[in-house]
């Protein structure tokens, strides 16, 4: 549909039937709104805040942590009660401040000498000439009629609205995710440029006769339009006569934060405190704040130890755990969906001894298996787009994490440009550790259970040895895991089977097993059973065992695998590592906050039953040990251990401690 030239005062939205961004005018007073509010009043508020330099980023109509913080900053600056609640007084102050920035459009007659160098210009898009409108210079600034710019962008599939002197550029829903809404701030002007309802610039607009149509037409400064288009990934060059627009690689639908090199630390303004502030105020499903509040130190510690961007880790946890509210996050401390396979996620998801440990484990896993070139799941680059190749089946996974990274960055006034971008010649900092983290326990006991295949409970020098050498069940078509990998290696060595050692038991592996069975005179069913495992892969039967029903002590937990499933491994002092499925813990409990879906998920631990001194802060879901799981005079006595120096006031990891927890702040829930 051809759009008419924009005449001053003309309502283009009436022609197109499209919406326009909400802007404020002097005298407008909206209803009182605060954190958790949604809708057009919030869009109005967010655009006003951006205009005045209190940048909230995208005007998405969600009154969240960033909007609350900037409202408080505005209120402080205008000597109002800084409570984040936008009442009549705050609206009036906003309207007055915005009205002071609004000017009238400049109207120039066709013969005005103020429009200098009126001549034909040229607009190219992606090296193709699209249109050749008239342009001019006013007040030492180059101007172009906006209708022709719209017409050019139409070629790329954009749509537009124009109302109240606001030009709104509308993108596709896919491209919405990659718009750069950071660091919005603008001065006085008569007209505005918006992207999807978020005003990104205010400009001095000029109306002048277009020599081509002989109609009064709206002109805007080319420089301001270039800056707005750059937020959508469209770069520009202008030499005074020719304007060349070039979409960035991948167009405007590239993954937000998709090229950030995740092996580098987040910008310095991403701290434990700033992450906690964000998690404490972020709105989700009608509530304010996330149960992940208080885990800021864990994200930063994981970054500093394993060399993985803390913003990414927090965003990934938010995405996979629904801000910490999902069932597996609440029941299993599983913040990243680890092991939650598509077919049966609730049953298959791994159990972690704490949220802190889940964060540290994820950082270790991601750095060693996804971000380091040459690692098992490296996807071509240490970025979100690289991870998406092998980490998630959802093609939009990287976009989801990237969008959340943008929200976190915006909350501290940062943007993607503040992050290390990936280049093939980057030299990433070496991580402080490449060793898998462990979770320390203090006085945990358990009872060995009967193992289906072994005469007792098998134990190993390391969890890795157990994952490689233990038989977890019959291996057949559809089986997965390290046991399958070991089988494939064996068949390649014994028969030159030529199998890919990928841990996936498919048709080729089944054929190789049948060939081996035929060679040994065994039934050719293609199933590798326990007898075959012991006879051929572990012929010396060297695996030591503990008898069933024995009481043991467990001092460490390490996340691992059992066949194709995520399973913790327990360390028994002076014995070795045991598959957690073979131990029934008897005095280990989950410390659950009084309201685990709230932000009050940090639980103080006191030195004595009188709450004299706080000696540690644990988080809802943490594994602890207790000899008496019922409260005595309103207090639980627990045993626990320092996990990291950063989270334990400098104590050496593994330091054993005893403390008291108020029954008003938490309860003890048995850990199966």
């Amino acid at each position: 549909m051809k759009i008419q030239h924009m005449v001053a005062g003309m309502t283009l939205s009436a022609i197109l039937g499209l919406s326009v961004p909400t802007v404020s005018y002097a005298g407008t007073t909206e209803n009182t709104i605060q954190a958790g509010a949604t809708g057009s009043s919030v869009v109005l508020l967010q655009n006003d805040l951006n205009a005045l330099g209190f940048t909230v980023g995208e005007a998405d109509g969600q009154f969240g942590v960033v909007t609350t913080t900037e409202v408080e900053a505005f209120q402080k600056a205008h000597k109002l009660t800084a409570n984040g609640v936008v009442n009549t007084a705050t609206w009036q102050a906003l309207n007055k401040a915005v009205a002071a920035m609004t000017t009238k459009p400049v109207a120039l007659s066709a013969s005005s000498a103020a429009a200098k160098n009126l001549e034909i210009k040229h607009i190219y898009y992606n090296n193709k000439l699209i249109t050749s409108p008239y342009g001019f210079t006013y007040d030492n600034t180059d101007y172009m009629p906006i209708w022709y710019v719209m017409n050019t962008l139409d070629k790329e599939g954009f749509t537009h609205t124009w109302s109240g002197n606001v030009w709104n550029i509308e993108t596709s829903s896919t491209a919405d995710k990659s718009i750069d809404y950071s660091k919005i701030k603008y001065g006085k002007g008569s007209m505005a440029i918006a992207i999807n309802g978020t005003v990104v610039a205010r400009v001095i607009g000029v109306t002048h006769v277009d020599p081509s149509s002989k109609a009064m037409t709206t002109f805007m400064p080319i420089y301001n339009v270039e800056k707005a288009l750059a937020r959508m990934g469209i770069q520009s060059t202008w030499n005074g006569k020719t304007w060349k627009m070039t979409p960035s690689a991948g167009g405007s639908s590239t993954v937000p934060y998709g090229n950030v090199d995740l092996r580098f630390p987040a910008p310095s303004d991403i701290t434990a405190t700033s992450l906690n502030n964000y998690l404490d105020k972020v709105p989700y499903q009608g509530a304010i704040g996330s149960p992940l509040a208080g885990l800021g130190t864990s994200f930063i510690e994981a970054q500093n130890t394993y060399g993985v961007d803390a913003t990414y880790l927090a965003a990934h946890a938010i995405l996979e755990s629904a801000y910490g509210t999902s069932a597996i996050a609440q029941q299993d401390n599983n913040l990243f969906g680890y092991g939650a396979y598509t077919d049966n996620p609730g049953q298959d998801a791994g159990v972690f001894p704490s949220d802190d440990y889940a964060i540290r484990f994820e950082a270790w896993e991601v750095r060693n298996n996804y971000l380091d070139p040459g690692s098992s799941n490296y996807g071509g680059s240490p970025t979100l787009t690289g991870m998406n190749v092998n980490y998630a089946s959802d093609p939009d996974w990287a976009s989801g994490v990237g969008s959340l990274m943008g929200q976190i960055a915006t909350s501290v006034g940062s943007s993607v440009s503040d992050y290390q971008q990936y280049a093939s010649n980057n030299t990433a900092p070496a991580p402080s550790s490449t060793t898998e983290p462990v979770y320390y326990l203090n006085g945990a006991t358990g009872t060995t259970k009967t193992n289906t295949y072994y005469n007792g409970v098998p134990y190993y020098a390391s969890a890795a040895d157990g994952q490689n050498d233990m038989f977890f069940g019959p291996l057949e078509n559809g089986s997965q895991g390290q046991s399958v990998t070991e089988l494939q290696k064996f068949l390649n060595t014994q028969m030159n089977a030529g199998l890919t050692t990928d841990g996936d038991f498919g048709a080729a592996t089944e054929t190789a097993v049948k060939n081996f069975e035929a060679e040994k005179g065994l039934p050719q069913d293609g199933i590798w059973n326990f007898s075959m495992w012991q006879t051929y892969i572990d012929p010396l039967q060297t695996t030591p065992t503990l008898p069933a029903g024995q009481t043991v002590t467990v001092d460490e937990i390490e996340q691992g695998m059992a066949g194709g499933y995520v399973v913790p491994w327990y360390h028994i002092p002076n014995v070795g590592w045991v598959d957690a499925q073979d131990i029934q813990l008897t005095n280990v409990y989950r410390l659950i906050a009084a309201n685990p879906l709230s932000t009050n998920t940090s639980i103080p631990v006191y030195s004595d039953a009188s709450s004299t001194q706080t000696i540690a802060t644990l988080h809802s879901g943490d594994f602890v040990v207790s000899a008496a799981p019922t409260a005595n005079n309103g207090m639980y006595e627990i045993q626990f251990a320092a996990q990291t120096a950063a989270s334990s006031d400098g104590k050496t990891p593994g330091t054993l401690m005893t403390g008291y927890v108020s029954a008003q702040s938490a309860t003890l829930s048995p850990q199966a």
Side-chain angles (χ1 to χ4, degrees), residues 9-24:
M10 171 183 174
T11 306
L12 188 60
S13 59
I15 299 174
L16 300 179
L18 299 173
S19 61
V20 295
T22 309
V23 294
S24 67

Side-chain angles (χ1 to χ4, degrees), residues 37 113 123 149 158 201 204 211 214 276 293 295-296 309 330 413 438 534 649:
I123 302 179
V149 179
F158 294 99
I204 303 297
K214 311 302 182 186
N276 284 334
L295 292 172
D309 185 304
Q330 289 287 309
V438 298
Q534 282 197 309
D649 294 327

Side-chain angles (χ1 to χ4, degrees), residues 45-59 181 184-186 198-199:
L45 168 67
Q46 291 169 324
N47 276 323
D48 283 357
L49 290 169
N50 282 337
L52 299 168
F54 299 90
T55 307
V56 300
E58 181 181 5
Y181 291 111
I184 299 174
K185 184 178 180 180
Y186 37 89
T198 299
V199 179

Side-chain angles (χ1 to χ4, degrees), residues 235-456:
Q235 303 303 316
S236 299
T237 59
W238 168 251
N239 64 9
K241 289 189 177 181
T242 301
W243 184 356
K244 291 186 176 181
M245 303 180 190
T246 305
S248 60
S252 58
S253 59
T254 53
V255 174
Y257 287 71
N259 193 53
V260 170
D261 193 327
L262 300 177
R263 301 171 299 174
F264 287 77
S268 59
D269 49 10
I270 299 295
T271 64
T273 299
S274 65
L275 286 172
N276 284 334
N277 287 340
Y278 177 81
L279 294 167
D280 196 51
K281 296 179 181 178
V282 65
Y284 182 70
Q285 292 189 344
I288 300 300
S290 162
L292 301 178
L295 292 172
T297 297
S298 299
F299 291 116
I300 296 298
E301 177 73 1
Q303 168 185 270
N304 295 342
T305 303
Y306 298 107
V308 181
D309 185 304
T311 314
Y312 148 72
L313 289 171
H316 189 176
I318 289 170
L319 179 74
E320 298 285 2
S321 71
Y323 291 86
T325 67
S326 70
I328 63 172
Q330 289 287 309
Q331 297 167 12
D332 301 328
N333 297 326
N334 190 328
L335 302 183
F336 298 90
Y338 197 75
Y341 303 125
T342 303
D343 292 341
N344 196 1
Q347 184 67 31
D348 297 341
V351 176
F352 291 80
S354 72
D355 288 344
D356 167 79
Y357 179 80
I359 293 166
R360 289 187 287 123
F361 175 84
E362 182 71 10
W364 171 82
E365 167 76 9
V366 165
R367 179 58 191 260
N368 287 279
N369 294 318
Y370 290 89
L371 300 184
D372 282 345
S375 58
S376 58
N377 290 302
Y378 187 67
S381 67
T383 64
L384 288 178
T385 51
M387 279 190 66
N388 209 160
V389 173
N390 293 312
Y391 191 91
S393 58
D394 180 2
D396 292 327
W397 174 86
S399 291
V401 176
S403 294
L404 288 165
M405 287 181 67
Q407 293 178 30
I408 295 170
T410 299
S411 73
V412 295
S414 188
S415 71
V416 69
S417 62
D418 298 320
Y419 287 73
Q420 176 68 48
Q421 301 300 302
Y422 172 68
S424 59
N425 61 350
N426 281 0
T427 301
S432 299
S433 174
T434 58
T435 303
E436 179 176 350
V438 298
Y439 186 85
Y440 298 100
L441 290 167
N442 178 6
T445 58
T447 303
T448 56
K449 298 191 293 186
T450 301
N451 185 284
T452 304
Y453 302 102
Y454 293 84
N455 183 25

Side-chain angles (χ1 to χ4, degrees), residues 27-191:
T28 300
T29 302
E30 294 286 320
N31 295 329
T32 297
I33 55 175
Q34 57 188 322
T38 61
S40 60
S41 292
V42 181
V43 174
L44 167 65
L45 168 67
Q46 291 169 324
N47 276 323
D48 283 357
L49 290 169
N50 282 337
L52 299 168
F54 299 90
T55 307
V56 300
E58 181 181 5
D60 59 3
Q62 305 290 324
F63 200 135
V65 57
V66 178
T67 302
T68 300
T69 299
E70 296 305 319
V71 167
E72 291 173 352
F74 173 83
Q75 290 170 327
K76 289 179 183 177
H78 288 76
K79 295 180 171 49
L80 299 169
T81 301
N83 58 6
V85 178
V86 184
N87 54 18
T88 299
T90 300
W91 278 120
Q92 289 176 342
L94 283 165
N95 294 331
K96 181 179 179 180
V98 172
M101 300 172 62
T102 305
T103 63
K104 293 182 178 180
V106 176
L108 300 179
S109 65
S111 60
S112 173
K116 303 179 184 300
N117 304 316
L118 181 63
E119 60 185 4
I120 290 178
K121 315 292 185 180
H122 305 287
I123 302 179
Y124 286 77
Y125 190 90
N126 212 12
N127 295 318
K128 181 180 180 181
L129 178 63
I130 304 299
T131 186
S132 297
Y134 279 87
F136 57 77
T137 301
Y138 168 74
D139 196 20
N140 296 315
T141 302
D142 293 330
Y143 278 74
M144 191 78 78
I146 294 307
W147 182 84
Y148 292 94
V149 179
M150 287 184 176
N151 189 47
T152 300
L153 295 177
D154 286 343
K155 308 297 183 183
E156 183 64 5
F158 294 99
T159 56
H160 318 271
T161 62
W162 175 266
S163 180
N165 287 327
V166 179
W167 169 30
N168 186 40
I169 307 168
E170 297 180 336
T171 69
S172 67
S173 58
T174 301
D176 290 353
K177 299 178 181 178
S178 59
I179 306 302
D180 179 7
Y181 291 111
S182 65
K183 299 181 180 179
I184 299 174
K185 184 178 180 180
Y186 37 89
K188 292 185 177 182
S190 57
M191 298 175 183

